Amino acid sequence: MDAVTRHLSEFGDGLLTTLQLTLLSLAGALVAGVVVAAMRVSPVAVLRAAGTAYVETLQNVPLLVWLVLAVFGLPEIGVMAGLFTTAVIVISLYQGAYMAEAVRSGINAVSVGQAEAARAIGLTFTQSLRHVILPQALRTVVQPLGNIAIMTIMNTALAAAVGVVELTATANRVNLAEAQPIWIFVTAGLVYMVLASGAGLVTGLLERRTAILR
């Protein structure tokens, strides 16, 4: 246990990086998810096809592969960015594919009559989606979005493989110095468990507050 207490400041820095990576990635994923979900329910065939291609491509290639391709491949074509920024963008886009499917399921759960009523009062597709359908859809998928948030917390650990010094990378560095893997990685695992439990608690509270009474 002394190996952990001697490196608390390093664990704190790693945890802070993990939190930043998680929150920024979730924000980006939510934006990407809403946009792609809108494309997938659009009346324009090209947009539907593009949305489907995005989801199928991102979901069927492991996140680690995308991270490695972005970190080592983008500089080859002249696109330069820091490791942290690259990780945020890649995780956002990857999780955005899952967000899109969750949001789309929420959109499909909204009564068809809502969309018909919106059209009847003269709203365009975009206006009805923004003002009528999406607000209801998002309230019905709080729990799935919370599960994706937990998934995002766990997936940030993969950023360690491309050089981002987050919690997992910090644990590995401390272990190299102290050679006490059980205490060090159990501690890191407990921190991830606390983060996931916190996300689940917040999700449960939001779900109860935003529940649609029928």
Side-chain angles (χ1 to χ4, degrees):
M1 194 63 182
D2 289 343
V4 174
T5 57
R6 282 195 296 269
H7 297 273
L8 281 178
S9 62
E10 294 170 59
F11 274 105
D13 291 339
L15 174 59
L16 180 60
T17 301
T18 291
L19 289 173
Q20 292 172 335
L21 191 56
T22 299
L23 293 175
L24 290 172
S25 297
L26 280 175
L30 184 58
V31 172
V34 169
V35 171
V36 174
M39 292 170 63
R40 295 206 67 185
V41 298
S42 168
V44 181
V46 173
L47 292 180
R48 290 199 305 273
T52 300
Y54 175 92
V55 170
E56 293 297 325
T57 301
L58 269 293
Q59 285 189 348
N60 289 300
V61 177
L63 175 57
L64 183 57
V65 173
W66 290 118
L67 285 167
V68 171
L69 285 174
V71 169
F72 297 104
L74 291 180
E76 295 293 326
I77 59 174
V79 179
M80 307 297 292
L83 290 176
F84 182 84
T85 301
T86 301
V88 168
I89 293 172
V90 172
I91 296 173
S92 295
L93 294 175
Y94 182 80
Q95 297 297 143
Y98 292 91
M99 286 279 192
E101 289 299 272
V103 174
R104 186 168 72 96
S105 69
I107 292 173
N108 290 337
V110 176
S111 169
V112 175
Q114 297 285 327
E116 292 175 346
R119 285 196 297 270
I121 63 174
L123 296 182
T124 64
F125 171 78
T126 302
Q127 290 172 330
S128 63
L129 196 64
R130 177 183 175 187
H131 298 293
V132 179
I133 299 173
L134 273 179
Q136 297 180 67
L138 291 175
R139 291 174 66 181
T140 65
V141 294
V142 171
Q143 189 60 56
L145 294 182
N147 292 338
I148 294 171
I150 293 173
M151 176 184 172
T152 304
I153 293 171
M154 303 307 167
N155 279 342
T156 59
L158 293 174
V162 292
V164 178
V165 187
E166 42 64 76
L167 184 58
T168 298
T170 298
N172 191 49
R173 290 186 174 190
V174 172
N175 182 56
L176 290 175
E178 299 287 347
Q180 294 189 34
I182 295 178
W183 280 112
I184 292 167
F185 285 101
V186 164
T187 299
L190 289 173
V191 173
Y192 279 113
M193 186 174 70
V194 169
L195 292 176
S197 298
L201 179 61
V202 171
T203 298
L205 292 173
L206 285 175
E207 186 176 32
R208 286 192 291 274
R209 291 178 63 89
T210 60
I212 299 175
L213 300 178
R214 301 183 185 279

